[in-house]
Amino acid sequence: MAAVGPYGVRPGHALITMVEPHPGHEYAYNRWYEDDHYYAGAMAMPWMSAGRRWVATKDLQELRYPETSAVAQPVGTGCYLSTYWVTEGRYDEHMKWTVAINKRLNRDGRVYRGRTHVFTAFQDHEATVYRDGAAGPRDFHALDHPYEGLVLQVVDAEGPEGRAELLEWLRSRHLPERLKGSPTALVTVFRPTPLPGDRMTYVKQVEGVETRLTLLWFLQEDPRACWDAHFAGLGAAVAEAGLGRVELVAPFIPTVPGTDLYVDRLR
C-alpha cells in the first residue's frame, strides 16, 4: 500500500463535517468526539494527514446567512465543524479503511447517537488562493497553523454545466480581489463527492454533487472582528456575477482540544 502510489503532502481531498449535538448532549458529545472519535474514527486512518475542529458559539451562529439555506435548516444548525485533509490520490484507499473502522466502532458501541449530521461530505480539492502569493503557510499547513477563525461558504452553481465557470470566476477574479488587504490568509475550494453506498446510515447522502463548491476561508483574526467588512456581502457578490447562489456562509473559531471551552455558549 505504501510502497507504490502517491505520497505527496498536498491536500487532494477533504472531509468536511458540520454536526449539531442534540439539546442536552453538548458536553457528552464534545468529550466523545475529542476523546475518541477524532482519533479512532478519523486521524488514525491511512492517508489522513491533518485535522482540526471548529466551533460556532451562539453569537457566531447568529451571523450566518442566508436565512433560507439548502445546507442548514434553520441556518444556525451545526455548531461544530471538523475539517480533515486526505493525501491526493489516496481517497479510495482511505475510504475503505474509514468505512470499515466506523462500522466496527458502531458495533462496539463507540458511536455517539445524540447528534445530527448537518453537512458531511468528502470533497475533492479544486483550488487554493493565497493572499500573499508564495509567502506564508501553504494549504497543507492550514489545519496545523494557529488560525484564529474559519468561514465555511457553500455555493451552488445554476446547473452542472455552470460549475466550471463559477470555479474559474472564484479562482481568478473574486477570491484574489477579496483577499487583498483582508485578514484571510488563504481560501481552499473543494467539490463534494458522493458517499459510498455502504456508508453509515446516520449520514445522509451528499447533495449538490454536480453543482456545489465548498470554500474554507482561513482567518488571522476572530471572524466577529471582520464580519461586516469582509464577509457580510459574499452572497451578493455571487448573485451579482450571475453564476450561482450562496447557500451558507458560517463563521467558526477553533476549539481548544482536551477542554469543554465554549460548550456553555452554544445555546
Side-chain angles (χ1 to χ4, degrees):
M1 180 178 178
V4 296
Y7 67 125
V9 300
R10 183 171 177 264
H13 320 276
L15 170 59
I16 302 171
T17 175
M18 186 169 68
V19 172
E20 177 73 10
H22 296 171
H25 291 254
E26 294 86 357
Y27 282 93
Y29 167 77
N30 189 53
R31 291 275 44 86
W32 165 76
Y33 200 97
E34 285 204 339
D35 296 345
D36 189 7
H37 198 64
Y38 177 83
Y39 301 103
M43 291 301 297
M45 301 301 103
W47 306 113
M48 185 164 270
S49 59
R52 194 163 192 187
R53 291 187 77 216
W54 312 83
V55 61
T57 52
K58 182 63 174 177
D59 57 338
L60 287 166
Q61 296 167 34
E62 291 172 348
L63 294 175
R64 294 183 184 183
Y65 65 89
E67 185 175 349
T68 301
S69 167
V71 174
Q73 304 91 26
V75 71
T77 306
C79 52
Y80 281 104
L81 179 73
S82 296
T83 51
Y84 303 93
W85 292 163
V86 176
T87 302
E88 184 176 23
R90 294 294 190 173
Y91 173 78
D92 290 340
E93 290 163 297
H94 172 79
M95 286 303 298
K96 291 176 183 177
W97 278 82
T98 195
V99 169
I101 285 293
N102 278 280
K103 286 185 174 182
R104 181 180 175 186
L105 290 169
N106 189 46
R107 289 195 305 269
D108 292 346
R110 288 172 63 184
V111 172
Y112 194 82
R113 301 295 183 183
R115 95 276 197 218
T116 298
H117 281 263
V118 178
F119 178 73
T120 294
F122 281 88
Q123 314 222 9
D124 289 340
H125 180 262
E126 287 287 352
T128 300
V129 179
Y130 297 97
R131 182 191 59 204
D132 302 324
R138 303 293 88 187
D139 51 12
F140 50 84
H141 300 126
L143 300 184
D144 297 310
H145 188 80
Y147 287 114
E148 294 187 35
L150 177 140
V151 173
L152 168 67
Q153 181 183 10
V154 180
V155 187
D156 280 341
E158 294 296 338
E161 66 287 345
R163 184 165 64 180
E165 185 180 1
L166 172 62
L167 174 62
E168 182 57 30
W169 175 77
L170 288 168
R171 177 168 43 198
S172 63
R173 296 177 55 192
H174 177 66
L175 293 177
E177 186 62 32
R178 281 275 176 176
L179 291 183
K180 290 178 183 177
S182 81
T184 302
L186 64 97
V187 181
T188 57
V189 185
F190 294 89
R191 59 176 173 85
T193 60
L195 289 170
D198 57 351
R199 71 190 185 279
M200 302 304 295
T201 56
Y202 52 77
V203 182
K204 67 180 181 179
Q205 187 53 271
V206 178
E207 299 173 345
V209 169
E210 300 296 329
T211 59
R212 184 161 289 175
L213 293 172
T214 304
L215 288 72
L216 301 177
W217 301 65
F218 290 89
L219 279 60
Q220 293 176 312
E221 65 180 52
D222 189 306
R224 287 167 286 210
C226 57
W227 190 255
D228 289 343
H230 294 282
F231 293 100
L234 292 182
V238 173
E240 288 169 8
L243 296 174
R245 169 181 162 81
V246 167
E247 293 293 355
L248 183 67
V249 181
F252 294 85
I253 55 176
T255 62
V256 179
T259 77
D260 289 318
L261 188 63
Y262 306 121
V263 175
D264 60 347
R265 305 182 210 174
L266 301 178
R267 309 300 182 194

